[in-house]
Amino acid sequence: MIQKAPSEKNRDFWIFLIAVLLLWIKISILYKWCFHISTQSFWEAFLLEATTLGSLLGIFSLVFLSKKHRPKLCISLYFLLTAILYGNVLYYRFYIDFVTIPVLFQFKNVGGLSQSTMELIKFYDVFLFLDCLVFILLAKQQVLKQYTLSIRKKVVQSTICLTVIVPIVVSCFYHSGFWNQSYDKELIVKSLGLYSYHLFDVFQNSKSSMKSVLADSSEVEEIASYVKKKQKSGTVPEYHGIASGKNVIVIFLESTQGFVMDREIDGQEVTPYLNQLKKESLYFPNFYHQTAQGKTSDAEFILDNSLYPLSGGSVFVRKTNNHFVSLPKILKEQNYYSASFHGNDAFFWNRKVAYESFGYDRFFSKEDFEVTEENSINYGLKDIEFFQQSIPYLSELPEPYYAKFLTLTNHFPYLLDPEDRWISEPDTDQGMVNRYFTTVRYEDEAIKTFFNEIKGSEIYDNSIFVLFGDHYGISKSYYDALGKVLGHEISPNDDMELQKVPLLIHIPGMEGKEITAVGGQIDLRATILDLLGVSESDGALSFGKSLLMEDPNRFVAFRDGSFTTNQYSYIDHTCYAKETGKKVKRNYCSPYFSAVQQELNDSDKIIYGDLLRFLD
Ligand code: GP9
Ligand code: MN
């Protein structure tokens, strides 16, 4: 009956058990206090704990595949799993979401230990590593060799196997269909536990890589007929072709959300210049960003390709070998030259490679600008300097051109030199939220500088200007403080409304107009082409629809499966009436369910299957 295990084996087993239990306790604490996972019932909470325990048992059991160095392997694994856990903690602090493996691998590409990351690290995080010390001390205890395990080896093995498998199987039935909603990461973590979620993520990624190999042209034909129908419905707008042959200058307003427009702090406007410019522009107050983990790079991807971003990682980093029919390529057929301007490193977010794949002729990056310590802050060149140094390059571009400017100063954690502060900060307990308004005000000054310097020149007269916010700047983690500035608590419906970003299209000589159509970044390319009077070539598949076209059935789909229309928003499986902010019956939202799902899935199919290669 009693297993007479040699002392080494006893020790290995106890170390294994201690590792599993310590890490299990740590994650369980973090589920509650850091990740705020809301479990609705006892069973949901139980399954979360059971799947987590199961995955830890499964992972640490791998150590027994080796005959030697098991304690060392256990310790290494303990550190690795703690590092992944801490990566999730930092990511969650800003994004209120779980990190994905592609993002973890992008770490160097996306800023590494930049000031943004440092802002998220807290001194009390050392407590998250104390257990590592405790574990090493316990693992080194010679006394562990003496405690013999008085259960049969087979019983132990079967118990471990059952604890690994049973909770996952039960949970799959309990949360049925979660794998169809793989964009809802909290649901997957709830269903599988944190570490199995990461394994599932790796599995999903390798499955999607296979899709490219197995794809064939029939898939793309079906999608093409859907998008053609979507784009053709509606009348030709009065603005069609109004900017034919003009240069297109697009300005990305870094982290700029709609709520800053027409807002005052202590009686001072946050965006005085944009407030004025919107009166002389087509202004879209119901325009939403649709970015996901790829941030600015997602906004660029959506603008240039009119496809949805990936739910994990960024196309800029993951899929640049694909065939794309991007805006520079479409405009090349009309003899346009394309350039992008950005005062940061050319390889940051893999931009240089992505731009080549999209067909840009020139990328003016950090090495093309004079960047010194005095004229840069946070991620790079200050916006005012950036525009001033860009204008000479811009005036040399062969016309007509498409030029894209990525501003940078209004970037988390919103740092500014004292001389660049034009308004006072609001007074919340979150410095980050307070500083945001001052960096937005600086960005506004930079836009003003740019326009003032080009007005009266050919650049201004021969161009149209598209200015839009790339993504949110204040994440959910800071909503308590933001709510104080906005004067009300932020409900789920408000959260959706906060995803609005400014969009202004300034056409010199044309009167301003407010266009209230609900739309998203996916519609930008179609809108620009509409103004230029250019139709997309057959090889281009686009999910967007010109914002200048009348269409009462518009919807804006977000990467997490939520969506908004002119009347309703569907958030976290609940339908809200936008005007009242109140929950309403699901059937107000249900007419859009299948179209939203279809677009997100089809866009993924195009990207993972590299389907555009079959059209061109
Ligand atoms: C920096 C730019 C901005 O080059 O990508 O950063 P992001 O908004 O993507 O974090
Ligand atoms: Mn950005």
Side-chain angles (χ1 to χ4, degrees):
M1 273 299 273
I2 291 172
Q3 176 83 20
K4 295 261 187 272
S7 59
E8 297 283 302
K9 278 195 179 168
N10 282 339
R11 183 200 54 191
D12 295 349
F13 183 75
W14 286 117
I15 291 175
F16 158 83
L17 259 192
I18 294 168
V20 169
L21 290 177
L22 272 183
L23 213 48
W24 187 35
I25 294 169
K26 180 157 76 174
I27 300 176
S28 301
I29 294 172
L30 288 173
Y31 278 155
K32 195 151 185 59
W33 301 112
C34 174
F35 301 127
H36 306 295
I37 292 189
S38 59
T39 42
Q40 310 297 336
S41 63
F42 165 79
W43 276 110
E44 220 175 80
F46 176 79
L47 284 171
L48 173 63
E49 291 302 335
T51 48
T52 304
L53 175 65
S55 61
L56 287 171
L57 284 170
I59 294 169
F60 279 102
S61 298
L62 297 176
V63 164
F64 293 99
L65 294 177
S66 161
K67 294 250 179 300
K68 288 187 203 155
H69 309 301
R70 285 173 181 168
K72 276 193 190 140
L73 286 172
C74 255
I75 291 172
S76 313
L77 208 48
Y78 199 93
F79 273 88
L80 176 72
L81 295 181
T82 295
I84 293 175
L85 188 60
Y86 191 54
N88 273 290
V89 168
L90 290 185
Y91 192 82
Y92 198 92
R93 271 193 193 139
F94 188 78
Y95 295 103
I96 313 288
D97 203 357
F98 296 92
V99 78
T100 59
I101 295 296
V103 167
L104 276 181
F105 281 114
Q106 261 167 240
F107 183 70
K108 249 179 50 214
N109 248 321
V110 300
L113 272 177
S114 63
Q115 273 165 308
S116 304
T117 318
M118 296 310 283
E119 173 83 17
L120 296 169
I121 296 175
K122 308 285 175 204
F123 74 90
Y124 47 79
D125 290 349
V126 294
F127 292 111
L128 292 177
F129 297 92
L130 282 186
D131 57 309
C132 297
L133 280 181
V134 174
F135 177 55
I136 292 178
L137 288 177
L138 286 174
K140 287 198 177 297
Q141 293 302 313
Q142 292 301 322
V143 74
L144 292 178
K145 292 183 182 175
Q146 293 167 20
Y147 294 110
T148 310
L149 188 67
S150 51
I151 318 168
R152 273 177 196 272
K153 195 176 164 194
K154 284 248 162 61
V155 176
V156 174
Q157 283 172 341
S158 339
T159 314
I160 289 177
C161 278
L162 288 176
T163 321
V164 173
I165 295 165
V166 174
I168 287 195
V169 173
V170 175
S171 191
C172 285
F173 281 105
Y174 189 83
H175 298 283
S176 61
F178 73 87
W179 47 85
N180 291 329
Q181 298 174 41
S182 53
Y183 41 77
D184 189 344
K185 301 189 195 76
E186 181 175 325
L187 182 62
I188 304 174
V189 172
K190 246 196 242 182
S191 311
L192 301 177
L194 185 74
Y195 292 116
S196 299
Y197 149 73
H198 283 301
L199 294 173
F200 182 69
D201 183 30
V202 171
F203 167 72
Q204 291 277 71
N205 276 305
S206 27
K207 207 174 83 184
S208 57
S209 309
M210 279 305 289
K211 278 191 183 149
S212 169
V213 182
L214 301 173
D216 68 63
S217 59
S218 63
E219 293 180 61
V220 78
E221 277 149 23
E222 261 172 54
I223 304 174
S225 71
Y226 167 80
V227 295
K228 287 234 164 69
K229 209 166 118 209
K230 174 174 175 174
Q231 283 152 5
K232 292 272 154 58
S233 61
T235 49
V236 176
E238 57 173 301
Y239 296 109
H240 183 75
I242 202 165
S244 167
K246 295 261 187 191
N247 305 318
V248 179
I249 297 179
V250 178
I251 300 177
F252 279 61
L253 303 169
E254 173 61 42
S255 304
T256 307
Q257 288 175 251
F259 68 79
V260 297
M261 300 292 288
D262 292 316
R263 181 163 300 279
E264 291 184 357
I265 301 289
D266 278 345
Q268 299 159 303
E269 284 178 279
V270 180
T271 54
Y273 189 73
L274 289 177
N275 294 347
Q276 180 56 37
L277 188 69
K278 81 174 162 59
K279 294 186 192 138
E280 304 154 19
S281 311
L282 301 178
Y283 178 58
F284 302 81
N286 296 315
F287 179 75
Y288 295 77
H289 85 85
Q290 291 167 294
T291 60
Q293 293 181 330
K295 307 282 302 293
T296 308
S297 77
D298 275 353
E300 290 187 72
F301 173 72
I302 304 170
L303 161 73
D304 283 336
N305 299 286
S306 199
L307 296 171
Y308 291 95
L310 294 177
S311 59
S314 162
V315 176
F316 267 49
V317 179
R318 299 180 58 194
K319 292 286 164 195
T320 44
N321 287 333
N322 275 14
H323 176 78
F324 289 109
V325 187
S326 314
L327 189 51
K329 291 187 188 168
I330 297 171
L331 290 177
K332 179 70 86 200
E333 286 170 26
Q334 313 295 321
N335 294 321
Y336 272 71
Y337 184 89
S338 296
S340 180
F341 294 75
H342 187 40
N344 200 350
D345 193 275
F347 285 95
F348 197 47
W349 280 95
N350 206 26
R351 279 202 172 84
K352 197 162 170 68
V353 179
Y355 286 169
E356 270 165 32
S357 161
F358 296 171
Y360 279 87
D361 297 300
R362 180 76 161 91
F363 179 20
F364 295 93
S365 66
K366 190 174 177 181
E367 62 199 41
D368 297 286
F369 299 101
E370 206 189 306
V371 183
T372 62
E373 217 159 87
E374 289 73 47
N375 72 12
S376 47
I377 193 150
N378 202 357
Y379 274 83
L381 193 58
K382 292 183 189 178
D383 290 344
I384 291 181
E385 278 278 339
F386 167 58
F387 281 119
Q388 284 172 333
Q389 292 191 34
S390 297
I391 292 170
Y393 288 130
L394 192 59
S395 57
E396 292 297 314
L397 294 185
E399 290 190 304
Y401 55 76
Y402 159 48
K404 192 163 84 171
F405 287 83
L406 309 183
T407 60
L408 204 47
T409 308
N410 184 42
H411 192 287
F412 181 80
Y414 311 114
L415 308 174
L416 216 51
D417 288 324
E419 67 271 21
D420 296 322
R421 216 162 279 155
W422 299 80
I423 52 168
S424 44
E425 294 180 357
D427 184 25
T428 76
D429 56 3
Q430 286 287 353
M432 212 280 302
V433 171
N434 302 343
R435 294 195 299 274
Y436 178 71
F437 291 91
T438 61
T439 48
V440 173
R441 175 64 185 84
Y442 171 87
E443 179 189 73
D444 184 79
E445 198 64 24
I447 305 292
K448 178 176 157 188
T449 312
F450 175 65
F451 275 98
N452 283 349
E453 295 203 5
I454 59 165
K455 268 190 181 161
S457 77
E458 279 191 358
I459 299 179
Y460 182 74
D461 295 337
N462 297 345
S463 308
I464 65 165
F465 301 85
V466 180
L467 294 86
F468 76 100
D470 63 350
H471 49 77
Y472 65 79
I474 307 287
S475 74
K476 283 184 196 155
S477 319
Y478 300 91
Y479 273 4
D480 282 349
L482 181 62
K484 290 205 179 96
V485 182
L486 302 183
H488 57 85
E489 266 185 34
I490 296 171
S491 66
N493 187 60
D494 296 330
D495 172 40
M496 175 64 87
E497 293 310 282
L498 284 172
Q499 305 316 310
K500 283 181 180 169
V501 290
L503 168 63
L504 296 80
I505 302 184
H506 181 68
I507 305 176
M510 207 180 95
E511 272 186 25
K513 187 178 174 190
E514 200 166 278
I515 297 179
T516 54
V518 68
Q521 289 166 332
I522 203 122
D523 303 310
L524 277 173
R525 184 169 96 176
T527 310
I528 293 170
L529 291 174
D530 200 0
L531 287 166
L532 297 181
V534 173
S535 26
E536 284 178 1
S537 57
D538 283 345
L541 267 189
S542 147
F543 287 97
K545 178 163 187 168
S546 167
L547 293 167
L548 307 167
M549 265 179 148
E550 303 255 337
D551 180 0
N553 297 320
R554 283 180 179 283
F555 62 85
V556 183
F558 301 95
R559 195 55 259 198
D560 61 0
S562 59
F563 60 85
T564 191
T565 71
N566 57 2
Q567 280 184 299
Y568 302 104
S569 287
Y570 187 67
I571 309 154
D572 214 3
H573 312 283
T574 310
C575 191
Y576 292 86
K578 288 171 91 160
E579 207 177 306
T580 60
K582 298 233 163 75
K583 289 182 188 176
V584 291
K585 284 194 185 132
R586 267 170 77 92
N587 47 2
Y588 288 105
C589 288
S590 50
Y592 300 90
F593 285 169
S594 69
V596 168
Q597 276 311 317
Q598 182 178 347
E599 290 202 8
L600 290 170
N601 290 342
D602 285 353
S603 178
D604 283 351
K605 272 190 203 163
I606 292 175
I607 300 169
Y608 287 126
D610 189 12
L611 297 185
L612 295 184
R613 69 196 146 126
F614 295 119
L615 280 185
D616 218 17

